Amino acid sequence: MDLPKKFCDEMKRILGDEYPAYLASMEDTRKYGLRVNTAKISVEDFLKISPFELTPIPYVDNGFYYDPEVAPAKHPYYFAGLYYLQDPSAMTPASRLPVEEGDVVLDLCAAPGGKATELAAKLHGTGLLIANDISSKRAKALLKNIELFGVENSFIVTEYPQKLQEYFTGFFDKILIDAPCSGEGMFRKEPSMVKAWEQNGPEFYAKLQEEILRQALPMLKPGGYLLYSTCTFSPLEDEGTVDKILSMDDSMEIVPMQGYVGFSKGNPAWVDSSRSEIEDCIRIFPHKLDGEGHFLALFHKKETAEGAVQSYDQRRSGLKGEEKRLFQEFAAGLAREFEPDRMESKQGMVYYMPKQLPDMKGLRFLRSGLFLGEMKKNRFEPSQSLAMALKKSEYKNCLDLSSKDERVIRYLKGETLTLTQEEAGKDNGWVLVCVDGYPLGWGKKNKSSLKNKYHSGWRMM
């Protein structure tokens, strides 16, 4: 691979005798990773049904290597949201942020959703996840992945950190910042990053990272944790930015993370820092383990830190009149409750709002809470996101197909299905279509025919 001389000189400086091993690793084939969605299925249960040969990623509990020739993105289990395809080392940031059920969590640079979906899985439907990306185009991919994973306690925002700070000072228990960076750790995976590096290198991104962090730190509660990560090797963006964080806020302290034999330590000497605690950061080099380049630093905000702490528990107006009646008519088939004071209708679009969602007025966002469906003439039409948030046991009328049934692929392509005599004998109306017990989407049954209601933008090509 043709690498810039300036980059190579810096890598020689920081790696020393290891530099030839690094160069050799750049000629190796990259590794591919699959992360199990533990909000829908346990690792143990997934391994029982997995159609792929998987090898555990030793530093991520629910991560596995796979052979790309098996094409897991084309398997029905992918469409059921049972796993996410992600670079192995990119799984580490969300795995090292100590998210607990009930937490209020911010993923500040969240698209396309690899880390946000894991943070949501850790919350198990509790608390609140605010996932932000300044690009509304990228945020659409984030929203799809959030919905695919069945997340219902999220708020998808497209704002600059400065705007978020105005709303969320002292609001978050946990913050993840996988910061925009020069991408040196992705050169093997995405060679096009080399040209981008030549246009905007470490100096450009180090200033941007400092600005983002200056606005993000006030949003963390005293006692909270912030994980800063990049996919670059540059000490200026890694140890240098960590040193700046510690300088700009003396309530922040670095804490150690779960290690692994292939991880390297941070090195304060590379940025002429005297802070020995920077050694508690983690560096991932591709010549030391199977993954691309990454850097992680975990911070704790001391309990004694000053600053306002905000909390919200807004009551919603709920559904009324005809909308309430139509939803209740549909909900008669549901085996789960939706709290009335968490429901909200906006021009016929019905949402189930997280308990801790703040006042959103003035913020640009794509989605608040779980989109349940839409009021149409004389009926309520359930959404794709509701289907993904349900369990098979939570809807009375299901069509559960085997992953080996050819109708699964036909359903995912948007085709009408013909039902067997036994399947046709059940009630007409809305049907939750599942694969091996895991929801895929909706269909509308009329005798032996199932009209396809799978989301048109998600269909298999």
Side-chain angles (χ1 to χ4, degrees), residues 128-342:
L128 172 66
L129 171 68
I130 295 184
N132 176 74
D133 201 279
I134 60 171
S135 166
S136 57
K137 182 179 179 180
R138 283 170 52 84
K140 288 176 183 175
L142 165 65
L143 174 60
K144 179 185 175 180
N145 284 318
I146 287 286
E147 291 185 329
L148 188 63
F149 260 49
V151 180
E152 57 183 81
N153 56 325
S154 66
F155 181 39
I156 311 301
V157 195
T158 58
E159 283 290 1
Y160 286 91
Q162 184 178 358
K163 182 77 170 182
L164 294 178
Q165 187 191 336
E166 296 173 14
Y167 283 73
F168 300 117
T169 299
F171 184 64
F172 295 103
D173 299 294
K174 311 285 160 60
I175 297 177
L176 190 147
I177 301 177
D178 187 46
C181 70
S182 59
E184 295 170 355
M186 295 292 115
F187 285 176
R188 179 174 67 177
K189 179 184 174 187
E190 299 178 36
S192 62
M193 294 291 293
V194 175
K195 184 171 284 188
W197 184 93
E198 291 173 329
Q199 293 173 342
N200 288 312
E203 294 80 7
F204 172 84
Y205 284 102
K207 291 177 183 176
L208 179 60
Q209 291 151 5
E210 181 180 1
E211 181 183 344
I212 289 171
L213 285 154
R214 196 175 295 279
Q215 293 156 357
L217 293 180
M219 293 192 273
L220 188 64
K221 290 179 183 176
Y225 289 86
L226 181 148
L227 192 137
Y228 170 76
S229 65
T230 73
C231 57
T232 194
F233 302 122
S234 165
L236 186 64
E237 300 175 70
D238 295 341
E239 287 89 348
T241 299
V242 168
D243 191 68
K244 287 175 185 174
I245 294 173
L246 296 171
S247 298
M248 73 174 73
D249 189 338
D250 59 10
S251 71
M252 301 297 287
E253 57 185 354
I254 295 178
V255 292
M257 290 166 277
Q258 177 191 342
Y260 173 66
V261 66
F263 291 165
S264 300
K265 296 179 179 180
N267 192 327
W270 289 343
V271 290
D272 296 323
S273 173
S274 60
R275 301 181 192 271
S276 60
E277 63 267 37
I278 289 178
E279 292 184 5
D280 284 328
C281 301
I282 288 175
R283 276 184 167 273
I284 298 177
F285 289 105
H287 64 284
K288 289 194 168 185
L289 52 71
D290 290 328
E292 305 308 304
H294 237 80
F295 174 86
L296 298 83
L298 181 61
F299 295 87
H300 174 250
K301 188 177 240 184
K302 297 171 186 174
E303 300 280 358
T304 53
E306 296 181 356
V309 176
Q310 298 185 44
S311 62
Y312 303 85
D313 187 4
Q314 287 201 344
R315 299 285 173 179
R316 305 291 165 177
S317 58
L319 302 183
K320 294 181 172 60
E322 181 70 357
E323 288 188 337
K324 183 178 181 180
R325 184 187 70 78
L326 291 176
F327 180 77
Q328 287 178 337
E329 192 175 89
F330 167 79
L334 289 171
R336 67 164 285 183
E337 294 292 326
F338 289 100
E339 298 173 32
D341 58 7
R342 287 176 56 190

Side-chain angles (χ1 to χ4, degrees), residues 55-67:
T55 304
I57 297 172
Y59 50 92
V60 179
D61 292 342
N62 57 333
F64 296 86
Y65 298 109
Y66 71 90
D67 183 339

Side-chain angles (χ1 to χ4, degrees), residues 76-92:
Y77 291 164
Y78 177 81
F79 292 82
L82 298 191
Y83 51 82
Y84 189 94
L85 303 179
Q86 188 175 25
D87 174 72
S89 59
M91 298 179 190
T92 50

